[in-house]
Amino acid sequence: MAALVGLAVAAAGVALLLLGFSVAVGVVSLVIGRLPTDEELLTSPWAFLGTNLLLAALVPLAWLAVWAGHGVRPRWLSSVRGGLRWRWLLLSGVLPAAVVLLGVGGLGLLGVLAGEQPFGSGDQRTLATTALLLAVVLLTTPLQAAGEEYFFRGWMSQAAGAWFRAPAVGAVVAALVSAALFGLAHGDQDPWLYADRFLFGLTASYLVWRTGGLETAIAFHAVNNVVIFVPTIVAGGLGDALETTSASPFLVLTDVVGFVVIAVGTAWLARRRGLVRLTVPPRVESSLGAVTRPGSGR
């Protein structure tokens, strides 16, 4: 029953956020005297900023949902320490950054050698617009990544795991459910692109389970998006990137190799530092399955 209360809060919150975004689009339409084009809604600095802030708002929504649905204070959603471990967040983000940089750089080089435009079609933008987009990406994409991780790997994993008494079963089901819905939330896509996003979600869930918090998953998500968006914006291919609906098997295989390296490397680093990953938050009023009982992994 508790999980259903949290689900209702999360669903209502998402609906309100989408309604707010629609109202904002309506206000912009009145100001400019027309409906914004699809490209403007995707790639203008203000639309990109609005989308990132909309997704960042999932952080307080996840806090509210886990508090209302499970009686857990919001700070326990971040980690077993009852808050974000900032040093670990920064340290554990180094490996994902290196892996993503190597992967994106390697794919870009292959595109150049093949005579392709590796990061998009080269749409013409003013220098000011490009600079503004880059500033938005660098300043707000980490917030967007945090919003998605708090919602999918934080609250949603709690909600799914709450239905199972066995911690291992709850953890596996939570990872599968959150990864599946995370992939679907990205819209129209072919099976290969969906598989890539699904596997990204599974990797993030493993990082949360292995480290006892959301920090590494947030860092992984943030550096992945920043490293992809920055060269794409510079090359003028942001619209193409955001409207992508397909992926090649080679791209998925490349990403999977990177995911494995990040997962194994993070596990080694966490073990080497003796990272605490098990705890039971105080004053828990509901059974959270794999989430809050001893040996749960979170």
Side-chain angles (χ1 to χ4, degrees):
M1 183 63 182
L4 294 178
V5 174
L7 177 61
V9 170
V14 170
L16 287 174
L17 289 175
L18 293 175
L19 177 61
F21 190 78
S22 298
V23 170
V25 172
V27 171
V28 170
S29 300
L30 290 175
V31 171
I32 66 177
R34 60 177 175 82
L35 287 173
T37 65
D38 290 343
E39 182 175 355
E40 287 173 333
L41 287 175
L42 282 174
T43 65
S44 72
W46 305 114
F48 201 86
L49 174 63
T51 300
N52 275 1
L53 294 180
L54 175 73
L55 293 171
L58 293 175
V59 173
L61 176 58
W63 288 341
L64 180 60
V66 78
W67 176 74
H70 304 285
V72 176
R73 292 183 180 276
R75 64 192 182 93
W76 290 102
L77 196 60
S78 300
S79 78
V80 296
R81 289 298 192 187
L84 280 176
R85 298 164 294 183
W86 289 99
R87 177 180 293 184
W88 173 248
L89 186 151
L90 295 174
L91 178 63
S92 65
V94 173
L95 176 61
V99 171
V100 175
L101 277 169
L102 182 62
V104 171
L107 290 173
L109 179 60
L110 289 176
V112 171
L113 293 175
E116 301 173 355
Q117 173 62 265
F119 297 111
S121 60
D123 297 336
Q124 297 300 310
R125 292 183 177 276
T126 66
L127 182 59
T129 300
T130 299
L132 193 54
L133 274 170
L134 289 174
V136 170
V137 167
L138 294 173
L139 293 175
T140 66
T141 294
L143 301 178
Q144 165 260 316
E148 293 187 27
E149 291 308 314
Y150 269 93
F151 190 79
F152 287 100
R153 256 65 67 179
W155 165 75
M156 190 173 292
S157 293
Q158 306 273 15
W163 295 95
F164 301 91
R165 284 192 172 275
V169 175
V172 170
V173 172
L176 292 172
V177 169
S178 63
L181 294 180
F182 173 76
L184 290 174
H186 285 78
D188 187 26
Q189 55 202 309
D190 72 353
W192 285 109
L193 185 55
Y194 177 78
D196 191 71
R197 288 163 173 165
F198 177 80
L199 293 170
F200 181 100
L202 284 184
T203 303
S205 288
Y206 172 77
L207 295 175
V208 173
W209 174 81
R210 182 59 187 83
T211 65
L214 296 173
E215 298 96 344
T216 309
I218 292 171
F220 173 38
H221 200 150
V223 299
N224 179 78
N225 289 6
V226 169
V227 170
I228 289 174
F229 281 137
V230 167
T232 301
I233 290 171
V234 172
L238 181 60
D240 291 340
L242 294 176
E243 293 181 323
T244 295
T245 59
S246 62
S248 68
F250 178 73
L251 174 63
V252 177
L253 178 61
T254 301
D255 281 349
V256 167
V257 172
F259 297 162
V260 171
V261 171
I262 290 169
V264 173
T266 299
W268 174 84
L269 182 61
R271 184 169 57 252
R272 183 177 177 82
R273 292 183 62 84
L275 195 71
V276 175
R277 67 185 187 93
L278 302 176
T279 192
V280 179
R283 300 181 61 186
V284 174
E285 300 174 3
S286 60
S287 174
L288 299 184
V291 180
T292 63
R293 285 196 289 272
S296 66
R298 276 286 307 282

